[in-house]
Amino acid sequence: QNMSSNNDNLTHEEALSRSKQVANVRYKLHLTLEDKQPDYEGEATVSFAYKAAGGEASSSSSSLFLDFITKTIHKLTINGNEVKVDAEALKRNRVTIDSSLLNKEGSADNHVTIRYTNAYDTTGNGFHRFVDPEDGHVYIYTHFEPFYAHRLIPCFDQPDIRAPLDLTVVAPSAWAVVANSRCKEISSAAGDQKQHVFEPTPPISSYLYALVAGAFVSFEDKYKEVPMAIYCRRTLKSKMEDQVKELFTITKEGLGYYEDFFGCAYPFVKYDQLFVPEFNIGAMENPGCITFTEAYIPRETPTMMQRQRRAETVLHEMAHMWFGDLVSPVWWDGLWLNESFASVMAFFCMAAATQFAPTAWMAFHNGYKRWAYREDQLSTTHPIQGAVADTNSTFQNFDGITYGKGASVLKQLVAVLGEEGFRDGMRVYFKRHAWGNTTIQDFLKALQDGAKNASLERDDWPRLWLENAGLNTLTPEWSAENGKISSFVVHQGAPSTHPTLRPHVVHIALYDKGENGPVLRTVKRVQVTAKASTPVSELVGEAAPSFVWLAHGDHVYAKIMLDATSLEYARDNLDKFPDSFMRALLWSSMATMVRDAIVPAPQYLALVRAKIGSEKDNQLVQSIIATVQGTIANFVPDDMKQKEKELWHAECLSRLSSFRGGSASLEGTAKDEPITWIRAAAQSASNAAAIENMWALADKGTGISGVEIEQDVRWTLVRSSLAYSVAGARDRLDMEISRDSSDRGKRAAEGCRTSVADAQVKAEAWARFTSSSSETASRHMLSSAMAGFGWWHQRDLLAPYIGKFFDVVHDIFKNRSLESAEDFYGGMFPSYALSAPEVLQRSEALLATLDPQNDTVLRRSLRESIDDIHRAAACHALASSKK
């Protein structure tokens, strides 16, 4: 028996060796799933030709193995010979294959068959099982990226060993059973069961296999001759009914755009999108069987920004059908390209083919670029392209460099090649590499061939951008004589830790002062060289502008600074720029100056309060609100924090009051603005009086026709009521538990219970979080409970847990699964007390004791926390000096 995932790892060297030993791999899998059973039965046959490097028949003694995590193996046969399972290998999640029993003919088939019993997973990875608390129905789904397929299927779990999967599933008759391919036959089985036989998949990577089963309801449509379906839980059917029309519309728009852009028809036989419970990430690109988090099925009316985020995710996964599924990476060092490409293509598609076009690139900047800018300035930043030694290292690269910086750099690459050149290069790529695996070199070669552009090699673009870490800073310097620009230079800088200078394509915008605000006069496309200074002769002789911006259209990946004249003008006129995207970029620039301890946080917050009332783009408003919340939490000193919280809450209430008094009921996107401010007001309420005032809006009505307090906001208020010891808080908790019996409600209640400002409550929660039994608990329930534990205003009560955290965290990383350990770190690191000297001291002391080889994930987490502490201290010092 073996259910361990602590030592579950595959090195790149092992993968290279194994890919040389096998060819023509196929999998046949038969599963029996039952409604009430915690385990399932499986029988898998792995067929392959056995070979050595160079394709010659092999008698090599090098060890060949299948990856597999299981509870019990009942029988193992190799070419019909029953053999004993190597127990020691199985502890490492491997089934060794005795090469003496294999056919050595290079083209001959070998067959390894394993019959087994396995337990479902509870982490959201592997083969996850969920029971709906509202009606008791069971839902099961797979999630295999990057190294989880072998939790269900004994397999060669690496991306370059592509293989078809022949799948048969016996399941309860009432269940829907969905996989990558179409179901070709359904027949009766023993008991109240049915057998589902699926067409074999095309040869795809193991992390892309998918199986979803349970009491799902479905909605159907068609794109050309491709059948489409959307699935959700029964208890979410009424919510999904309001969303399916838009989801199908986005899907059709995306498929049409990609087929044209890539010059290649959709490569799979169907397009199913399944919304599954307790999903760990936004979505997963399983071909023909795409899985999504249920967070994209809103319980209340979604705002335009929520709908756009969902559309972006739909289009991201769709791009993977070509880039990632039809063509897959050879190894996980290609993960960045896989994810970055899908990310940026989703926005190109959204901007060209959907209703979300007007704000697509604003969303890209706020979501991806700002994430990348933050992570690229941490001590843990890394090159976009780098070696990935093993599958455990892959997990570290699901970050803002992989997704955010990679996507931003690809957008810059499109600016270099031109959109048509990029499109032509992609058409070459898919024609050349369909149903294969590629590297970054294959990708760049196809782009250059298709675009007929040699500038990438000439400018050393791949080395400078992909193989070196760090964020450049671009600053304009200009002077004027007799009202005209007499000199204009773009200065480029880089941090001393990552001093690489790079070529940039920038679009320099000049603005003049107009009667009603700034007026865009001209935009010049300029090639900034990989040097400290680039003269811009094209602008010499232009009339002196009131404002200069180096990143019009936001094509560049760099920190953009303002010259002194432009900075002063922007502060006075930020809300008057006519283009909402330009306003978004300026707000982002202001927030960057706060984070870099150039502008004091209270000064920035005062600017927000002065300007946000005139901002009409609600998506920009939501972005500013999120930045304000982070600024107060991280960059305002403790002795100023409560005042800033209360000033911000008052501003939220003021904004909310502006929507009262109208007689007509608000409909559609007109609700977005008041909903946004209700959410912000609830989140910012930080004393008993403010929280009780918010409850009055919930109990008596908001005074805004057509807008009421949402259930999720009610849970926010319950949690704050308990955390701030508001009278009647426990009664409020009981009332909301009665109102909301869903799994979301149960998770919210978990966070509320641990929020209580009581020493005994905290002690019991801590004991639960550090217990070994937490490893098998629902990951999502446990994470929700952790989210309620730490509050800034409870920092004195929580002081003992600073030391407790550092006492146990290393052991937790050594003894738990990586997912569980990372959840513990993210939920329990004492971020509520960043100003406490003990937090920095204990962080640095623990870091000094860790092994760089064996403690990589914990070391990275600590280094990033230490960076955050130092950055917060610098911002606090600046704010205190400007009182």
Side-chain angles (χ1 to χ4, degrees):
Q1 292 198 347
N2 173 58
M3 287 298 292
S4 171
S5 58
N6 292 344
N7 300 313
D8 196 26
N9 195 24
L10 179 72
T11 69
H12 190 199
E13 184 178 345
E14 289 171 327
L16 288 170
S17 174
R18 190 162 60 177
S19 65
K20 294 175 182 176
Q21 295 181 70
V22 298
N24 193 27
V25 178
R26 288 102 63 214
Y27 300 112
K28 187 171 185 178
L29 178 64
H30 187 288
L31 296 172
T32 300
L33 316 177
E34 296 187 21
D35 197 353
K36 304 301 182 184
Q37 296 300 316
D39 299 339
Y40 59 92
E41 304 295 321
E43 182 170 299
T45 297
V46 184
S47 301
F48 58 93
Y50 183 53
K51 64 189 184 71
E56 298 176 2
S58 173
S59 59
S60 168
S61 61
S62 59
S63 176
L64 181 63
F65 60 90
L66 295 166
D67 305 295
F68 194 32
I69 293 179
T70 190
K71 183 178 180 180
T72 305
I73 291 180
H74 301 294
K75 187 176 182 180
L76 167 64
T77 64
I78 301 175
N79 288 333
N81 300 290
E82 185 171 353
V83 297
K84 185 178 179 180
V85 176
D86 182 338
E88 288 304 311
L90 196 58
K91 288 179 182 178
R92 298 181 59 217
N93 308 318
R94 297 177 175 189
V95 176
T96 55
I97 300 173
D98 185 347
S99 61
S100 70
L101 297 175
L102 296 178
N103 295 316
K104 305 301 192 298
E105 299 290 335
S107 60
D109 267 350
N110 292 278
H111 307 284
V112 177
T113 300
I114 302 176
R115 186 165 57 83
Y116 58 96
T117 298
N118 216 343
Y120 293 101
D121 292 292
T122 59
T123 64
N125 297 322
F127 199 30
H128 184 84
R129 181 177 184 267
F130 171 85
V131 180
D132 192 327
E134 291 188 81
D135 60 13
H137 284 302
V138 173
Y139 299 89
I140 303 167
Y141 62 86
T142 56
H143 179 70
F144 290 161
E145 188 182 30
F147 189 58
Y148 299 120
H150 62 284
R151 293 192 181 191
L152 174 65
I153 312 167
C155 61
F156 303 120
D157 202 356
Q158 59 191 74
D160 63 331
I161 299 183
R162 302 173 73 102
L165 172 64
D166 188 343
L167 177 65
T168 299
V169 179
V170 175
S173 297
W175 283 14
V177 182
V178 185
N180 302 105
S181 296
R182 287 179 295 214
C183 186
K184 64 181 181 181
E185 179 185 330
I186 300 177
S187 59
S188 297
D192 189 22
Q193 303 270 98
K194 287 185 178 178
Q195 178 170 280
H196 303 252
V197 181
F198 292 88
E199 297 172 350
T201 70
I204 56 177
S205 300
S206 57
Y207 76 93
L208 297 171
Y209 299 136
L211 171 61
V212 182
F216 288 92
V217 295
S218 64
F219 306 84
E220 296 181 354
D221 204 335
K222 182 180 284 190
Y223 169 76
K224 296 181 180 177
E225 297 306 312
V226 177
M228 302 191 301
I230 291 172
Y231 292 79
C232 71
R233 276 191 280 157
R234 293 185 182 187
T235 49
L236 294 177
K237 180 182 178 182
S238 63
K239 304 299 182 185
M240 180 59 87
E241 285 173 339
D242 298 332
Q243 308 300 320
V244 288
K245 182 179 179 181
E246 180 168 292
L247 282 166
F248 278 132
T249 297
I250 289 292
T251 303
K252 293 173 187 177
E253 290 169 339
L255 288 169
Y257 175 84
Y258 288 138
E259 285 189 333
D260 175 67
F261 196 94
F262 298 149
C264 176
Y266 173 66
F268 299 97
V269 296
K270 65 184 180 70
Y271 203 92
D272 294 337
Q273 297 174 94
L274 302 103
F275 293 77
V276 297
E278 296 191 329
F279 201 56
N280 288 336
I281 57 176
M284 178 61 204
E285 67 265 21
N286 316 302
C289 187
I290 303 99
T291 42
F292 292 84
T293 173
E294 289 180 339
Y296 289 131
I297 310 175
R299 296 201 283 186
E300 319 291 344
T301 302
T303 65
M304 192 72 165
M305 187 171 181
Q306 288 174 294
R307 291 161 54 206
Q308 179 170 301
R309 284 177 181 162
R310 181 177 64 192
E312 183 261 313
T313 303
V314 169
L315 298 173
H316 175 110
E317 305 311 320
M318 189 183 295
H320 275 310
M321 298 298 109
W322 286 265
F323 202 96
D325 296 1
L326 176 63
V327 184
S328 303
V330 171
W331 178 244
W332 296 112
D333 54 1
L335 173 69
W336 80 267
L337 182 59
N338 208 29
E339 296 304 333
S340 297
F341 182 89
S343 297
V344 77
M345 282 307 306
F347 285 93
F348 276 111
C349 178
M350 193 153 42
T354 77
Q355 64 176 307
F356 303 106
T359 53
W361 292 116
M362 183 198 302
F364 179 82
H365 178 91
N366 288 331
Y368 282 84
K369 276 202 171 176
R370 292 181 66 179
W371 180 24
Y373 289 156
R374 177 190 178 275
E375 297 218 0
D376 214 6
Q377 295 176 84
L378 294 172
S379 62
T380 54
T381 189
H382 55 87
I384 295 174
Q385 176 76 25
V388 175
D390 51 37
T391 51
N392 277 350
S393 300
T394 307
F395 293 92
Q396 298 177 47
N397 292 331
F398 276 84
D399 62 11
I401 304 300
T402 300
Y403 284 81
K405 183 176 181 178
S408 301
V409 168
L410 288 182
K411 189 184 181 192
Q412 167 76 176
L413 179 59
V414 175
V416 172
L417 299 176
E419 191 167 331
E420 287 190 7
F422 184 75
R423 179 202 64 196
D424 292 343
M426 293 317 305
R427 291 177 177 180
V428 169
Y429 180 79
F430 290 117
K431 185 175 181 179
R432 187 177 288 174
H433 298 293
W435 305 113
N437 295 73
T438 59
T439 65
I440 180 62
Q441 290 77 21
D442 299 320
F443 174 73
L444 294 174
K445 181 68 165 60
L447 283 183
Q448 291 189 128
D449 291 348
K452 298 179 174 60
N453 188 324
S455 65
L456 301 187
E457 288 184 0
R458 183 187 66 232
D459 295 337
D460 203 12
W461 192 93
R463 182 184 67 83
L464 294 174
W465 277 106
L466 306 182
E467 298 174 19
N468 289 277
L471 176 65
N472 295 130
T473 300
L474 299 180
T475 307
E477 181 184 7
W478 58 278
S479 57
E481 294 179 6
N482 301 319
K484 294 184 181 295
I485 295 174
S486 56
S487 69
F488 196 111
V489 177
V490 176
H491 298 294
Q492 180 173 184
S496 58
T497 50
H498 301 287
T500 303
L501 301 181
R502 300 174 176 88
H504 302 263
V505 172
V506 301
H507 295 76
I508 303 176
L510 305 184
Y511 283 81
D512 295 323
K513 184 187 298 185
E515 287 186 16
N516 300 313
V519 176
L520 178 63
R521 184 208 312 166
T522 188
V523 178
K524 297 287 187 181
R525 183 183 188 275
V526 174
Q527 176 72 53
V528 173
T529 61
K531 297 178 180 179
S533 297
T534 300
V536 184
S537 59
E538 300 98 309
L539 293 176
V540 173
E542 288 275 355
S546 297
F547 178 80
V548 173
W549 182 248
L550 295 182
H552 185 78
D554 198 34
H555 300 288
V556 67
Y557 178 78
K559 190 187 297 187
I560 303 300
M561 306 302 288
L562 295 170
D563 62 83
T565 300
S566 298
L567 177 58
E568 182 179 355
Y569 185 82
R571 283 175 172 165
D572 293 339
N573 297 276
L574 194 154
D575 55 333
K576 298 175 184 175
F577 281 80
D579 177 48
S580 62
F581 188 19
M582 186 66 223
R583 296 196 301 276
L585 295 176
L586 288 174
W587 276 115
S588 177
S589 181
M590 294 292 178
T592 296
M593 287 190 282
V594 173
R595 193 169 177 275
D596 289 350
I598 298 171
V599 172
Q603 188 181 112
Y604 165 78
L605 294 169
L607 180 68
V608 172
R609 295 193 298 271
K611 300 289 187 182
I612 200 166
S614 60
E615 181 52 64
K616 300 305 180 186
D617 189 309
N618 189 55
Q619 296 199 48
L620 177 51
V621 167
Q622 290 181 65
S623 173
I624 295 168
I625 288 172
T627 302
V628 165
Q629 292 166 342
T631 299
I632 293 174
N634 298 312
F635 304 141
V636 174
D638 285 348
D639 61 349
M640 304 168 70
K641 197 182 297 285
Q642 187 60 34
K643 176 186 175 183
E644 289 295 344
K645 284 187 172 195
E646 292 173 1
L647 287 170
W648 175 240
H649 181 68
E651 181 64 26
C652 294
L653 293 178
S654 174
R655 294 296 100 231
L656 191 57
S657 68
S658 67
F659 298 98
R660 295 196 180 101
S663 57
S665 179
L666 297 180
E667 301 291 341
T669 56
K671 293 182 178 181
D672 285 9
E673 291 183 76
I675 287 172
T676 295
W677 286 112
I678 287 171
R679 293 172 182 174
Q683 290 163 350
S684 61
S686 61
N687 57 55
I691 295 165
E692 288 171 341
N693 180 53
M694 291 303 299
W695 274 120
L697 297 181
D699 295 339
K700 300 175 184 178
T702 63
I704 304 169
S705 183
V707 177
E708 298 302 329
I709 300 293
E710 306 163 310
Q711 183 60 58
D712 289 346
V713 172
R714 297 178 73 91
W715 280 118
T716 296
L717 294 177
V718 172
R719 192 160 74 159
S720 296
S721 297
L722 290 162
Y724 285 92
S725 303
V726 175
R730 291 184 184 273
D731 292 337
R732 290 284 189 185
L733 173 61
D734 292 339
M735 288 172 58
E736 294 311 313
I737 289 173
S738 298
R739 283 174 59 98
D740 185 3
S741 61
S742 70
D743 59 301
R744 294 190 196 186
K746 290 186 182 303
R747 290 194 295 271
E750 286 289 303
C752 290
R753 293 186 184 102
T754 57
S755 297
V756 177
D758 178 83
Q760 183 63 29
V761 168
K762 300 300 184 185
E764 291 174 357
W766 178 262
R768 176 185 172 193
F769 300 151
T770 54
S771 167
S772 59
S773 63
S774 67
E775 180 78 7
T776 56
S778 164
R779 181 180 181 185
H780 286 252
M781 293 294 281
L782 202 62
S783 294
S784 297
M786 289 180 187
F789 186 85
W791 292 76
W792 171 76
H793 75 280
Q794 295 177 1
R795 60 196 180 280
D796 291 340
L797 173 66
L798 296 169
Y801 295 97
I802 296 174
K804 289 177 183 290
F805 172 84
F806 290 103
D807 289 342
V808 304
V809 68
H810 192 196
D811 284 339
I812 283 176
F813 269 83
K814 287 192 291 186
N815 297 319
R816 291 190 187 177
S817 68
L818 185 61
E819 302 96 329
S820 176
E822 288 189 305
D823 288 347
F824 179 82
Y825 190 98
M828 303 308 292
F829 183 87
S831 53
Y832 49 80
L834 283 187
S835 299
E838 184 184 2
V839 178
L840 178 59
Q841 292 164 4
R842 291 296 301 268
S843 295
E844 292 180 332
L846 177 57
L847 180 62
T849 69
L850 297 180
D851 183 341
Q853 298 302 315
N854 297 318
D855 297 316
T856 54
V857 178
L858 179 54
R859 289 185 81 252
R860 174 173 176 153
S861 297
L862 282 167
R863 290 174 65 197
E864 292 186 353
S865 295
I866 291 168
D867 287 350
D868 288 341
I869 293 169
H870 286 309
R871 185 175 291 275
C875 293
H876 295 173
L878 177 67
S880 297
S881 72
K882 300 293 184 180
K883 280 185 181 180

